[in-house]
């Protein structure tokens, strides 16, 4: 039975209660609400629905089921949408400057809608890379009872008997450029690679952050894994709508759930799945919203001690659908918990702890997607943070599926991604080179663009393990090969990456966690004196505003002081 909730201590009392709010209530009556509905808790149901890409196309339908769940538990759902920039379409051109900035716009717009209308709780649905952390950041910023729902992953395509994903499409461009794939084959592949609604199907950024939503406690168990077309998603959406009302009744809020221990759990699951390097950007940003200090080096410590146990693409064999059918995120969390890698006492949106949620989960021995934590694919996580004279503030590389974890070679420098992509397309590089793409950081890009078009082209040309690439920008979760991102300080503020010249010897060692250039401190200081900042390529608009406020990648590329200031 639903609990009758007294609104006298809820935000919506400012809109619905007392004679002075008669004008406000008249607006609600205009939309067909009954008196009973007006005096129930008002629950925002926010989605990133749009027609830009398959990631978000199913979110509006799922939101309707959430609303039925809220209503069934005697709440009044109020649906609204926010934006989402889909990286697959923004990749490789100026549109990618909008991607990371969109995370902030999503968080800001959800915050403003919720605050402006005095809603009491939030159920947030998101489907593409930046929309997942953006929605969870809004939940933590508002600190109202909240539940996160992932829209689900896409089903894999089938190309002549082989399962394919968006990753294969980007790599196909590289194969096509060197004559390994015909025009007709490329045309056939692009028509079948993405056969359904849902976000990119492997352990790229969307599925990584979806796993985070369960691990951190903001999503219902199993909800992150079900593919978008699966009807079981309706059960999760209905349950989320009902459960958020229980959170309202019990006054359980996101900052009760997202503690330092919960962030460590999230980083553990990222490492265990060989997840996207972008998690090292988004977890610190989420921590900022909760008033918790947790930067890229804190994430790195978790990565160092976590076994890599999920055999997922891009480094492995399987996609999100396979993991869900094997037992989902709870299967992975169960073995991590039993081996001592998770904090079992963290609260979740079920109202129970991680350990209590995992109590009924049984190991599935009839699958090979997830290994036991005691028998890992490799003893340390699939992502490594590097530090050295080239990256005093850190850099990050995904090593899941990487055979060799050391590389040394001469620098080949480019001041934007387009120039590097052109060089790669024309094969004007040498095996053994370290390609350097700079002035692509959060401030200097601006927007910290992803480099999937370039990295995938290299892999498609068959040289993914024969050249390395470093950048102060980002990589897609689909990136594989020796690719180092988030180099800090970034070039735009005079970081060492701005001072490198063609031919300088760069050494990468993911085993010891080092990224160095063979230059003395004196030589770097001399070059820094001669360096001057470049004017931004963006002079106005939303991306310009983002560049004015954004901080270093190490701290999540955040744009405001976070909850620590609110609590001061």
């Amino acid at each position: 039975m639903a609990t009758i909730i007294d609104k006298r201590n809820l935000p919506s009392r400012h809109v619905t209660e007392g004679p002075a709010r008669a004008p406000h209530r008249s607006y609600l009556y205009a939309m067909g609400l009954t008196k009973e509905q007006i005096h129930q808790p008002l629950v925002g149901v926010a989605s990133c629905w749009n027609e830009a890409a398959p990631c978000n196309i199913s979110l509006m339908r799922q939101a309707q089921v959430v609303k039925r769940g809220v209503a069934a538990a005697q709440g009044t759902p109020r649906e609204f949408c926010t934006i989402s920039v889909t990286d697959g379409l923004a990749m490789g051109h100026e549109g990618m400057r909008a991607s990371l900035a969109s995370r902030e716009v999503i968080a800001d717009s959800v915050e403003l809608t919720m605050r402006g209308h005095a809603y009491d709780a939030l159920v947030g649905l998101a489907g593409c890379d930046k929309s997942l952390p953006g929605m969870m950041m809004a939940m933590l910023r508002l600190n109202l009872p909240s539940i996160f729902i992932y829209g689900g992953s896409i089903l894999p395509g089938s190309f002549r008997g082989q399962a394919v994903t968006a990753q294969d499409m980007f790599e196909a461009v590289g194969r096509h450029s060197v004559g390994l794939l015909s025009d007709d084959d490329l045309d056939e592949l692009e028509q079948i690679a993405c056969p359904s609604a849902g976000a990119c199907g492997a352990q790229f950024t969307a599925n990584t952050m979806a796993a985070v939503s369960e691990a951190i406690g903001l999503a219902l168990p199993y909800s992150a894994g079900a593919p978008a077309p699966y009807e079981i998603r309706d059960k999760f959406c209905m349950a989320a709508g009902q459960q958020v009302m229980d959170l309202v009744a019990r006054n359980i809020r996101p900052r009760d759930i997202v503690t330092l221990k919960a962030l460590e759990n999230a980083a553990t699951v990222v490492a265990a799945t060989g997840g996207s390097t972008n998690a090292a950007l988004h977890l610190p940003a989420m921590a900022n919203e909760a008033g918790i200090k947790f930067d890229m080096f804190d994430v790195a410590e978790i990565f160092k001690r976590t076994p890599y146990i999920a055999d997922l693409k891009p480094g492995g064999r399987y996609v999100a659908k396979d993991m869900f059918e094997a037992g989902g995120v709870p299967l992975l969390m169960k073995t991590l918990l039993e081996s001592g890698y998770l904090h079992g006492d963290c609260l979740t949106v079920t109202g129970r702890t991680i350990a209590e949620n995992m109590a009924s989960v049984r190991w599935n021995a009839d699958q090979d997607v997830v290994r036991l934590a005691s028998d890992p694919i490799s003893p340390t996580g699939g992502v490594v943070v590097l530090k050295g004279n080239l990256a005093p503030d850190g850099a990050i590389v995904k090593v899941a599926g990487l055979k060799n974890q050391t590389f040394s070679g001469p620098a080949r420098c480019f001041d934007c991604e387009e120039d590097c992509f052109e060089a790669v397309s024309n094969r004007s590089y040498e095996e053994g080179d370290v390609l350097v793409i700079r002035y692509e950081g959060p401030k200097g890009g601006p927007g910290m663009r992803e480099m999937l078009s370039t990295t995938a082209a290299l892999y498609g040309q068959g040289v993914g393990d024969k050249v390395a690439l470093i950048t102060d920008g980002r990589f897609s979760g689909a990136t594989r090969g020796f690719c180092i991102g988030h180099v800090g300080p970034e070039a735009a503020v005079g970081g060492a990456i701005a001072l490198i010249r063609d031919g300088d010897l760069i050494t990468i060692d993911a085993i010891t966690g080092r990224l160095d250039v063979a230059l003395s401190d004196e030589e770097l200081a001399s070059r820094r004196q001669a360096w001057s900042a470049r004017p931004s390529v963006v002079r106005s608009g939303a991306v310009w505003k983002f560049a004015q406020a954004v901080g270093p990648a190490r701290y999540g590329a955040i744009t405001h002081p976070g909850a620590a200031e609110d609590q001061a």
Side-chain angles (χ1 to χ4, degrees), residues 91-93 96 167 169-175 177 412 414 416-427 429 434-438 440 449-464 467-471 474-476 478-483:
M91 198 75 67
H93 58 89
M96 182 50 75
Q167 169 192 345
M169 274 312 317
F170 280 92
E171 292 179 5
V173 173
R175 294 170 60 202
S177 72
R412 177 84 188 282
F414 303 90
C416 66
E417 185 199 9
E418 287 84 353
D419 290 351
C420 186
F421 182 72
E422 183 179 0
V424 170
S425 299
N426 296 331
R427 295 297 299 268
Y429 61 86
V434 178
L435 307 180
V436 178
I437 305 178
R438 57 197 177 190
E440 292 286 8
R449 292 192 291 177
E450 291 184 355
M451 308 292 159
L452 179 59
S453 294
T454 302
T455 61
L458 288 167
Y459 221 92
Q461 291 175 356
V463 294
V467 298
L469 191 152
I470 71 168
T471 180
R474 296 181 295 122
F475 292 116
S476 164
T479 291
R480 55 178 172 161
F482 224 134
C483 300

Side-chain angles (χ1 to χ4, degrees), residues 191-489:
Q191 293 185 51
I192 54 82
C194 299
S196 76
C200 294
Q203 200 65 356
F204 309 153
T205 304
N207 281 320
T208 297
M209 296 311 295
V212 161
S213 72
E214 282 195 40
I216 212 165
L218 290 175
L220 295 173
Y222 295 101
S223 65
Y230 281 19
E231 293 298 321
I232 196 174
R233 293 219 58 81
D234 286 359
K235 293 185 177 180
F236 295 124
C237 292
M238 185 75 180
Q242 293 173 308
Q243 182 60 25
V244 79
M245 292 301 296
D246 184 64
L247 298 180
V248 173
R250 299 170 63 181
N251 196 28
I252 296 175
R253 299 166 180 258
R255 293 183 201 168
D256 300 325
I257 292 168
V258 178
T259 61
L260 178 59
K261 284 184 177 180
L263 287 158
E264 290 175 347
N265 282 349
T268 298
V269 167
V270 171
T273 59
S276 169
T277 54
N278 284 306
L281 196 70
H282 300 322
L283 288 176
M286 290 170 64
N288 180 61
E289 301 291 356
I292 299 169
K293 292 183 178 180
F294 190 70
D295 70 11
M296 184 164 66
F297 289 111
D298 297 311
V299 174
E301 290 304 310
I302 307 298
F303 289 170
K304 283 179 188 176
R305 64 176 186 248
T306 304
Y308 168 44
I309 59 174
D311 194 6
L312 297 170
K313 289 178 179 284
R317 296 176 293 164
Y318 294 107
V319 295
K321 173 187 80 74
D322 302 317
M323 183 163 158
F324 175 69
E325 292 170 353
V329 176
L331 183 76
L332 177 120
M333 291 178 66
K334 177 75 171 184
T335 184
L336 290 170
L337 180 65
E338 289 181 337
S339 294
Y341 292 103
L342 291 181
H343 303 290
D345 58 345
C346 291
L347 184 65
T348 75
V349 291
T350 65
R352 300 186 297 272
T353 65
I354 292 285
E356 289 169 334
N357 289 345
M358 296 298 110
S360 60
V361 177
R362 298 289 176 265
W363 180 252
N364 177 7
D366 297 320
Q367 57 82 38
D368 62 350
V369 182
V370 179
R371 303 268 286 268
L372 286 166
S374 58
D375 181 31
I377 298 167
S378 66
T380 57
V383 180
V384 172
V385 173
L386 312 174
K387 190 175 183 180
N389 72 343
L390 188 45
D393 276 355
I396 196 161
V397 60
K398 180 186 284 191
V399 296
L402 203 60
K403 293 177 182 177
N404 298 314
Q405 296 190 19
T406 60
F407 196 100
S408 187
R412 177 84 188 282
C413 299
F414 303 90
D415 287 349
C416 66
E417 185 199 9
E418 287 84 353
D419 290 351
C420 186
F421 182 72
E422 183 179 0
V424 170
S425 299
N426 296 331
R427 295 297 299 268
S428 56
Y429 61 86
E430 301 292 335
E431 292 185 9
D433 280 351
V434 178
L435 307 180
V436 178
I437 305 178
R438 57 197 177 190
Y439 296 102
E440 292 286 8
K443 189 175 291 290
M448 206 179 183
R449 292 192 291 177
E450 291 184 355
M451 308 292 159
L452 179 59
S453 294
T454 302
T455 61
L458 288 167
Y459 221 92
Q461 291 175 356
V463 294
D465 58 348
K466 298 182 177 66
V467 298
L469 191 152
I470 71 168
T471 180
D472 51 6
R474 296 181 295 122
F475 292 116
S476 164
T479 291
R480 55 178 172 161
F482 224 134
C483 300
I484 292 87
H486 304 200
V487 172

